[in-house]
Amino acid sequence: MKEKLTSLWQKLFGDSVRAFGVVSCLFLVSLAIAPAKNHFSEWRHYQHGYLKMIRNRSDAATLQRHFEGGIQQIWLPDLGVVDRCTSCHVGLKEASLNDVSQQPFRPHPVIPHKLGQFGCTVCHRGQGAATTVAEAHNSTLAWEQPILPAKYIESSCGECHRGTLAGTPQLNQGRSMLSRYGCVHCHTVKLPDGKIMKAADDPPSLSHIADKTTREWIYAWLKDPQAYAATATMPNFKLSDDDARDISAFLIANSTTVPEDTIALSAKAAADPTAGATLYGESFCASCHAVQNAAGNLVGGNVGPELTRVGNKVKPEWLQAWLRNPRIYNPETAMPHYRFNDAQVATLTGFLLAKTDSDLLNNVHLEAATPEQVEHGKRLVADYGCASCHEITGIKKPENFAPELSRIGSKPVTQLVFLRGMQHTLPDYIATKIKQPRSFGQNLKMPQYAFTVAQIDSLTTALLALNDRSFTLPPSLTVAAKAESDYQPAGKAGKLMTDLACFSCHRINGHGGDMAPDLTWEGSSVQRQWLMEFLKNPNTLRPALIRRMPKFNLTDSEANELTDYIMTVYQSPAVDRDSMPLSGYSQGQVELGKQLYYGKYACQGCHILDTKMDKGYVGPTLTRVGSRLTAAWVFQWMKNPQALRPGTLEPNRAMSDEDARALTAFLISQKVGSKSEVAKAKR
C-alpha cells in the first residue's frame, strides 16, 4: 500500500511541472464550485419555475416585463433589515395572479402598506439575508427567529401600532386580556412608550371579606372559581383541600368589620320574587351583570360579576348595604349608587338571594380553624402572591412577583425549557405556558386559566408583539395609542357623576367606557327639557339594544344639577346650539326634508321615525327627535357626523347646505304628536 501511494505521489508531484499542473487543475475546480452552486441555487430554481408557470398565461407579456432575475434585496437601514425574500417570492406584487395558490408564486393579500416599504421579515420574521428556504424559514445555530406562524401574524402589527387597530382583532383581544384577566398584576409589562400596562379587572378588597361572605364560600371559590361563575376571571390555583381550608381561615380571621352604622338597614320589607324581578329589569342590572338562564346560556353584560349563584355568596346584611350605597364598601366600584329606598333594597335583596345552587356548598364542612391553620394560610397567601391582585390587611403587595414580560417576544429559545415533544419555537413555548403552566413543573405558582384556543392564540399574539424591535423602532415608524385622559368633572355635579358611575358606561373628554354614547358634546346636542326628563326617567332610544340606561331615582335637585352642568360645560366649539330655531320652518322645507329622508338618503334604513312602517334598528329612534336634539346639532351632524363623534357608523354623505337645512327642518318637526303622546309627556 505504501509503495502505491509513493508511486502515485511521484506521478502527480514528481517534478515541478507535474506539481504545477495538478495544483492548477485543483484551483480551477475550486473556482468552478461557486458558479456551479449558484447555478443550481434554490432561488434560481424558483425563478425558473415562475417563468415556466407564467409562460402560457394571457398576461404573460406583462408578467415577463415585471420580472427581474437574480437576487433581489430590500434594504431598510433604519430598521437594520436586509430582506432577500423576493428572490423566491417573485409574484408578490402581481394582483393578476390571484388565481395562483402555489407558493412561492402567489401574490400577497392586500395590506395597508406597500410591499417594498417594510419588506417581508419585519412582519413574517425569518432570516431575511438568507437565500435558501431552510435558512430563511427555520431557526438555525446562528438564527433563532423562524418564520412566524400565520395565526400570529398580527403580532407584527403591534410592533408599530401601540393602540387598538381596526384590522387586528386578535391582537386587540390579546392586549385587552392581559389587562382584563389581571396578568399584569403579577407580570410587569413596560410598554415602548414608557408607560406600564395597567390591569382592568379590579379585584375586590379582602380586608372586610367576613362582612360579605362565609368561610365555606371562600373555600369553594378557592377550589374552583369557575364552578361558582363561568365568567370568573380569577384562575384556578389547583389548591389542595388543606391549603384552601387554611387560606379561607386566614382571610376570615384577618378581616376587619365595616362600622355597623354604615351597613344597618332601617326598613325590612318582605321579599317579593315578582316585584324583585321587575325591579331588577327596570334597573337594567343585566346591562352589567350576566346570569345563566335555564338553557345554561349567559345573558347580560360583563362589566360587573356574574350573579347566577350570588345567593350562595353574599350575606343578606352586606347585600342590603351594597344595594343601598355600594361606595360605602368600595369607593372605586364601577356600580352606580341607585338611591333605592329601603323597601326596594329589601325587595331586590330577596330576589338576588334566591339565586343559589344547592350543590355548590353542599359538601363543604369546615371545623373551627386552629391558630396553626390561620398562620399557614397567611404564608400561603404570601407565597401565591394573592396581594398582587387583592388588598389584604397586613399583607404587602409583592414586587417582581413573576417574570417581566416587556420583551418576551424576543426571548432567546436557548433560555427556555421545552417539554418533550414540543416544537422548539418561542410561539409554541408561550402558547403552551398559557395553556398548561404547571406542566413545566408542579411546584410552579402560575395558576390554570380556562382559556379557549382562540383566547390562547390572542394572548400569544399580544405577547409576541412585545419584542426588541417594538422598543427600538424610529419614532417616525410608530403609531402611538390614543391617550386615555384622566378627566374628572368638577363641583357638585362632578361628585354626583362619580356617585352614579357615569364613566363606567359613558366617555367624556377622552375618559370612560364605551357601552353608552360619548357625552363630550352632549350640551350642544340635546334640549334642556328633554335631558331633565331623561335623567329622571330614561327612555329607550335604541330599541334593538338590550343594554339600557337605568333609572337612578334622582331627586329634582340632583337632576337639575346634572342638567345645568351638562348643558353648560359639555359644549362643542363647532356647534352654537342657539344659532338655529327649534320651530318656525316653512312647510315647504319640511316637505322637502321628508322627501330627502325617505328618498335620496333613505334614512329609514337605519332609523325608526314611523313606528308602523320603518324597520331601521341600527341607529337611535327618531320618533320625537324634534323634542330631543337641537337644530344646530342636527344640521352640523348632517354635514359631517364624524367631526362631532369620530368613529360613528353614520356615513358622511357630503351633503349640501340646502339638503342639510331641509332635513333639519323635517326632523325638528318630529315632536310629541298624538293626544295620547302629549298626555304621556305631561305626566
Side-chain angles (χ1 to χ4, degrees):
M1 187 63 169
K2 187 175 181 180
E3 291 83 358
K4 291 182 179 180
L5 291 175
T6 302
S7 174
L8 179 61
W9 178 265
Q10 287 295 326
K11 290 179 180 180
L12 296 176
F13 302 100
D15 55 48
S16 58
V17 176
R18 292 179 182 180
F20 179 78
V22 170
V23 171
S24 297
C25 289
L26 292 174
F27 183 67
L28 288 173
V29 169
S30 65
L31 289 177
I33 290 176
K37 184 177 179 181
N38 182 60
H39 180 75
F40 294 104
S41 62
E42 286 182 302
W43 62 266
R44 191 181 296 276
H45 164 75
Y46 286 120
Q47 289 185 4
H48 288 164
Y50 174 78
L51 293 173
K52 183 178 180 181
M53 182 199 72
I54 67 173
R55 187 177 302 157
N56 297 321
R57 293 177 60 91
S58 59
D59 55 349
T62 301
L63 295 174
Q64 177 69 53
R65 187 169 62 253
H66 293 172
F67 172 76
E68 294 184 26
I71 292 179
Q72 303 300 308
Q73 178 172 287
I74 298 172
W75 180 39
L76 305 172
D78 289 344
L79 296 175
V81 169
V82 174
D83 196 319
R84 296 171 179 166
C85 302
T86 50
S87 300
C88 295
H89 296 271
V90 289
L92 288 179
K93 299 179 182 179
E94 303 296 344
S96 64
L97 294 178
N98 56 11
D99 59 326
V100 175
S101 59
Q102 179 185 357
Q103 280 286 35
F105 306 140
R106 67 187 185 196
H108 198 285
V110 177
I111 57 174
H113 303 289
K114 295 180 180 179
L115 292 177
Q117 184 179 7
F118 294 109
C120 300
T121 56
V122 170
C123 295
H124 294 277
R125 301 196 183 182
Q127 186 174 188
T131 56
T132 67
V133 173
E135 290 183 341
H137 289 200
N138 305 321
S139 58
T140 66
L141 293 176
W143 191 263
E144 287 194 346
Q145 291 189 22
I147 287 290
L148 191 66
K151 63 180 178 180
Y152 302 130
I153 194 64
E154 290 180 16
S155 66
S156 299
C157 304
E159 294 176 353
C160 299
H161 296 270
R162 306 292 163 75
T164 301
L165 192 62
T168 59
Q170 186 165 288
L171 173 64
N172 298 341
Q173 183 188 31
R175 284 172 164 172
S176 175
M177 288 178 67
L178 286 173
S179 294
R180 174 168 172 73
Y181 284 88
C183 306
V184 294
H185 284 302
C186 294
H187 299 277
T188 299
V189 176
K190 296 176 182 176
L191 300 174
D193 59 6
K195 298 179 181 177
I196 296 178
M197 185 179 289
K198 297 180 180 179
D201 55 335
D202 191 25
S205 169
L206 303 182
S207 297
H208 311 297
I209 189 67
D211 282 344
K212 181 177 183 179
T213 190
T214 64
R215 183 185 170 199
E216 286 73 18
W217 182 86
I218 296 174
Y219 174 91
W221 169 265
L222 290 171
K223 288 292 292 180
D224 187 0
Q226 282 68 40
Y228 168 75
T231 58
T233 58
M234 178 168 162
N236 192 332
F237 281 82
K238 300 293 183 180
L239 297 170
S240 67
D241 292 350
D242 288 350
D243 286 353
R245 176 200 66 196
D246 295 351
I247 291 177
S248 65
F250 167 71
L251 292 176
I252 292 295
N254 193 59
S255 176
T256 59
T257 303
V258 176
E260 285 295 326
D261 60 339
T262 65
I263 62 172
L265 190 66
S266 58
K268 295 184 178 180
D272 182 344
T274 303
T278 301
L279 183 57
Y280 185 89
E282 290 176 346
S283 302
F284 294 107
C285 303
S287 294
C288 294
H289 298 279
V291 175
Q292 284 186 11
N293 59 21
N297 299 318
L298 280 171
V299 179
N302 60 2
V303 177
E306 181 185 330
L307 300 179
T308 305
R309 301 172 181 85
V310 67
N312 290 113
K313 176 182 180 180
V314 297
K315 293 180 178 180
E317 299 81 9
W318 180 90
L319 183 56
Q320 288 177 337
W322 177 266
L323 292 173
R324 192 174 64 173
N325 188 354
R327 298 192 177 279
I328 291 176
Y329 190 85
N330 180 6
E332 305 300 324
T333 181
M335 181 167 167
H337 179 190
Y338 274 86
R339 290 156 172 73
F340 292 128
N341 59 40
D342 288 352
Q344 290 174 315
V345 169
T347 298
L348 197 51
T349 297
F351 173 73
L352 292 173
L353 290 177
K355 295 183 177 297
T356 60
D357 182 346
S358 59
D359 294 333
L360 184 66
L361 304 178
N362 194 38
N363 296 319
V364 180
H365 304 287
L366 300 176
E367 297 179 354
T370 66
E372 291 76 17
Q373 291 172 351
V374 172
E375 186 60 31
H376 181 235
K378 182 177 182 179
R379 291 198 301 271
L380 289 171
V381 164
D383 289 344
Y384 281 104
C386 303
S388 295
C389 298
H390 300 278
E391 179 184 335
I392 305 173
T393 303
I395 304 294
K396 184 180 179 181
K397 179 181 174 65
E399 297 181 3
N400 304 319
F401 182 76
E404 185 176 330
L405 300 179
S406 302
R407 301 195 184 211
I408 183 65
S410 294
K411 184 83 170 178
V413 294
T414 53
Q415 297 180 13
L416 304 176
V417 177
F418 293 92
L419 301 179
R420 182 176 298 177
M422 273 182 63
Q423 292 288 327
H424 284 211
T425 69
L426 182 60
D428 282 288
Y429 173 83
I430 293 175
T432 306
K433 185 72 173 178
I434 296 171
K435 183 179 181 180
Q436 297 174 312
R438 299 284 178 90
S439 63
F440 291 86
Q442 291 303 310
N443 293 325
L444 295 177
K445 296 175 182 177
M446 182 170 172
Q448 181 67 53
Y449 285 86
F451 293 139
T452 64
V453 173
Q455 287 177 315
I456 292 173
D457 287 344
S458 295
L459 275 171
T460 303
T461 299
L463 291 172
L464 288 170
L466 298 169
N467 55 39
D468 291 340
R469 176 172 285 153
S470 67
F471 280 84
T472 57
L473 275 174
S476 59
L477 296 179
T478 61
V479 181
K482 189 174 181 180
E484 176 77 15
S485 79
D486 57 357
Y487 166 75
Q488 290 294 332
K492 292 181 179 179
K495 293 179 180 178
L496 191 56
M497 292 173 72
T498 299
D499 200 39
L500 297 174
C502 299
F503 289 99
S504 295
C505 300
H506 295 279
R507 195 169 188 83
I508 306 175
N509 291 329
H511 174 62
D514 58 2
M515 184 194 301
D518 191 312
L519 301 182
T520 303
W521 310 131
E522 188 73 358
S524 295
S525 68
V526 299
Q527 299 176 34
R528 190 187 189 285
Q529 183 61 32
W530 175 88
L531 180 59
M532 179 73 176
E533 293 174 357
F534 183 81
L535 290 173
K536 289 282 291 180
N537 187 20
N539 54 17
T540 299
L541 296 178
R542 296 175 181 266
L545 297 182
I546 297 175
R547 292 175 171 176
R548 298 280 188 272
M549 180 166 166
K551 183 178 179 181
F552 291 121
N553 305 299
L554 297 172
T555 64
D556 290 344
S557 175
E558 289 173 330
N560 264 309
E561 186 75 43
L562 275 178
T563 300
D564 288 342
Y565 189 85
I566 291 172
M567 297 300 295
T568 303
V569 177
Y570 299 141
Q571 291 279 335
S572 168
V575 180
D576 179 1
R577 70 184 179 204
D578 299 321
S579 63
M580 296 181 70
L582 294 174
S583 61
Y585 295 96
S586 69
Q587 189 59 37
Q589 266 191 312
V590 172
E591 187 59 34
L592 174 60
K594 182 177 181 180
Q595 294 175 11
L596 292 172
Y597 182 94
Y598 284 106
K600 182 177 180 179
Y601 297 110
C603 305
Q604 72 276 16
C606 294
H607 300 276
I608 293 176
L609 196 150
D610 186 334
T611 55
K612 295 181 179 179
M613 300 293 293
D614 298 343
K615 304 297 181 183
Y617 288 99
V618 177
T621 180
L622 300 177
T623 50
R624 300 177 184 88
V625 67
S627 300
R628 176 164 61 93
L629 297 180
T630 63
W633 177 270
V634 174
F635 177 81
Q636 294 296 338
W637 183 268
M638 294 298 171
K639 293 289 293 179
N640 188 357
Q642 281 74 28
L644 298 178
R645 284 190 181 150
T648 180
L649 293 178
E650 179 86 14
N652 185 346
R653 301 176 184 272
M655 198 177 293
S656 67
D657 287 355
E658 182 182 1
D659 283 2
R661 286 194 185 94
L663 275 167
T664 299
F666 172 64
L667 291 174
I668 289 300
S669 72
Q670 306 303 308
K671 304 179 186 294
V672 177
S674 66
K675 293 181 179 179
S676 61
E677 289 175 331
V678 171
K680 183 178 179 181
K682 290 181 177 179
R683 291 194 199 117

